[in-house]
């Protein structure tokens, strides 16, 4: 017997953590949502992430404000999901482990240490809990970090979770509230009615999906989808690689630890390769070693030269890792925008078309606040953070650079 289903209010295109967070926040407010993805759930950028929830790498400004809101939101959101779904269904390895930023000795060590102190002071003025450490203090936090340190800072608010588990928990809540999640459904564009508003999402496999709104949560492919929807955005893929070691004894790496040059690499607009040291452990005992950034389209080749750079820099920071075996390497594409800010909100050119993309490598940490902000704007509620810096029509979001096709 054929069951007639109501059309969704909103179709979210993309089942990564940003799309899942938007769908969860929308269904929490009573919207009927369909999440569509051409690929398996959370198999794109989300699967290639480390699971970082960070304030330590963000300068005062809109992204830091969004990160602070998101870090406050994550524990409450995970607790609410556990109440709704049960603790096992909502488990996602959340760890408020804190972050340690280190300026190692070397040719630029003193300059890096001074920059780290100035950066921490500016963050502290913006409400971040950051503690300056002397070189002698570092060993108490990370006994295996190099002793050749010029300065350091500790960020107790930094945390970590397993991004695929978090995404599946968010989507489980979406389903539990009567909404739908579909894979194998490739979106090709958006249809608009005579009034210019969204009337349907166009797909290859399912034909038109009638709806009143579409959320572009396509991550690195958001630029291509936005162009197909008639509202181009300069969202480009930025590739990153991560090394994974064999399991190590508990406590080998206690926090998220990274070199003081990480912030500069993350905020760089260079298309070429940038690497910086990031080291952290997982509950399984493996250690994740990053990070690299490079705008090279959707080129998937894993280059050994990049992996060697990551390994060499990690050993400089953690000499104890020198003889540790590496099990594998993985990577993915992150959605980059020219002004390094995500795009969150309704497109002024196409009523009913919404965007939630452009978070680059910070999407895991920013997802909780992003979903909430988009849902607040959709529902006409007072937003909990200022949405103006993230709007699609902002001056810094030039459409001069064209998105790459997958």
């Amino acid at each position: 017997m054929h069951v007639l289903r109501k059309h969704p209010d909103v179709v979210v295109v993309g089942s990564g953590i940003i799309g899942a967070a938007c769908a969860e926040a929308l269904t929490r407010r009573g919207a009927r949502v369909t999440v569509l993805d051409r690929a398996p759930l959370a198999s794109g950028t989300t699967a290639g992430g480390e699971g970082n929830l960070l304030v330590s790498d963000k300068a005062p400004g809109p992204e830091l404000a969004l990160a602070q809101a998101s870090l406050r939101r994550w524990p409450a959101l995970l607790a609410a999901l556990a109440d709704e779904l049960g603790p096992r269904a909502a488990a996602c390895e959340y760890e408020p482990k804190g972050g340690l930023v280190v300026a190692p000795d070397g040719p630029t060590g003193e300059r890096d240490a001074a920059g780290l102190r100035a950066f921490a002071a500016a963050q502290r003025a913006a409400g971040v809990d950051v503690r300056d450490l002397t070189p002698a203090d570092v060993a108490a936090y990370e006994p295996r970090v190099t002793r050749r340190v010029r300065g350091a800072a500790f960020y107790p608010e930094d945390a970590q979770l397993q991004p695929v588990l978090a995404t599946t928990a968010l989507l489980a809540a979406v389903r539990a509230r009567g909404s739908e999640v579909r894979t194998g459904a490739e979106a090709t564009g958006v249809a608009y009615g005579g009034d210019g508003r969204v009337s349907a999402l166009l797909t290859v496999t399912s034909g038109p999906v009638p709806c009143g709104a579409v959320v572009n949560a396509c991550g690195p492919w958001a630029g291509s989808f936005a162009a197909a929807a008639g509202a181009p955005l300069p969202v480009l893929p930025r590739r990153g690689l991560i090394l994974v070691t064999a399991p190590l004894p508990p406590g080998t790496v206690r926090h998220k630890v990274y070199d003081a040059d990480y912030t500069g690499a993350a905020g760089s607009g260079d298309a070429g390769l940038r690497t910086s040291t990031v080291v952290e452990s997982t509950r399984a005992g493996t250690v994740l070693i990053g990070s690299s950034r490079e705008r090279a389209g959707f080129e998937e080749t894993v280059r050994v030269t990049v992996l060697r750079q990551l390994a060499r820099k990690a050993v400089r920071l953690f000499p104890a890792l020198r003889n540790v075996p590496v099990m594998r390497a993985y990577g993915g594409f992150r959605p980059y925008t020219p002004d390094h800010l995500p795009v969150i909100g309704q497109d002024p050119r196409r009523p009913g078309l919404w965007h939630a993309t452009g978070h680059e490598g910070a999407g895991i940490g920013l997802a909780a606040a992003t979903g909430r902000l988009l849902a607040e704007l959709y529902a006409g509620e007072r937003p909990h953070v200022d949405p103006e810096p993230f709007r699609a029509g902002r001056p810094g979001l030039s459409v001069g650079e064209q998105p790459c096709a997958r």
Side-chain angles (χ1 to χ4, degrees), residues 1-293:
M1 177 180 174
H2 178 71
V3 178
L4 183 64
R5 293 184 297 185
K6 291 182 178 180
H7 299 314
D9 301 311
V10 184
V11 176
V12 176
V13 186
S15 69
I17 198 162
I18 295 295
C22 291
E24 189 282 329
L26 287 164
T27 56
R28 185 177 292 277
R29 287 161 175 78
R32 293 191 305 275
V33 175
T34 295
V35 179
L36 295 183
D37 202 311
R38 64 185 175 185
L41 300 179
S43 62
T45 301
T46 298
E50 296 168 273
N52 295 320
L53 316 181
L54 305 180
V55 291
S56 54
D57 63 339
K58 296 172 181 63
E63 188 183 26
L64 176 60
L66 191 67
Q68 290 171 305
S70 208
L71 260 69
R72 289 191 296 268
R73 176 63 182 152
W74 267 118
L77 176 57
L78 295 175
L81 292 175
D83 288 343
E84 183 175 355
L85 304 172
R88 288 178 63 86
C92 62
E93 301 181 8
Y94 173 76
E95 294 183 83
K97 60 170 57 176
L100 180 68
V101 187
V102 178
D105 200 0
T108 63
E110 193 55 47
R111 184 183 67 196
D112 291 344
L116 178 57
R117 289 190 294 270
F119 188 77
Q123 288 180 303
R124 192 177 294 112
V128 175
D129 185 357
V130 52
R131 303 166 191 183
D132 294 327
L133 304 180
T134 67
D137 294 330
V138 173
Y141 287 82
E142 288 290 345
R144 292 172 179 80
V145 162
T146 177
R147 296 295 177 266
R148 298 171 61 86
V149 173
R150 290 292 186 95
F154 181 66
Y155 291 81
E157 295 170 301
D158 281 0
Q160 185 179 3
L161 51 69
Q162 212 294 331
V164 174
L165 294 179
T167 302
T168 54
L170 292 165
L171 294 175
V174 170
R175 287 192 182 102
R177 296 166 191 164
S179 286
E180 186 180 12
V181 179
R182 276 194 259 166
T183 58
E186 182 174 356
T188 59
V190 176
Y192 300 93
D195 59 357
R197 298 191 61 84
V198 167
S199 62
L201 176 75
L202 305 178
T203 72
V204 173
T205 51
S206 305
V209 181
C211 59
V214 169
V215 177
N216 173 13
C218 298
W221 300 276
S224 297
F225 179 77
L233 288 178
V235 179
L236 300 166
R238 203 176 190 190
R239 182 175 59 188
L241 298 175
I242 297 168
L243 291 171
V244 185
T245 74
L248 301 177
T252 300
V253 181
R254 299 178 178 180
H255 308 88
K256 176 188 173 65
V257 185
Y258 59 91
D259 195 313
D261 69 354
Y262 174 84
T263 301
S268 168
D270 294 346
L273 176 67
R274 292 288 300 265
T275 61
S276 56
T277 310
V278 183
V279 180
E280 60 194 311
S281 61
T282 69
R283 285 195 181 176
T286 58
V287 172
L288 307 180
I289 297 172
S291 65
S292 70
R293 287 172 167 79

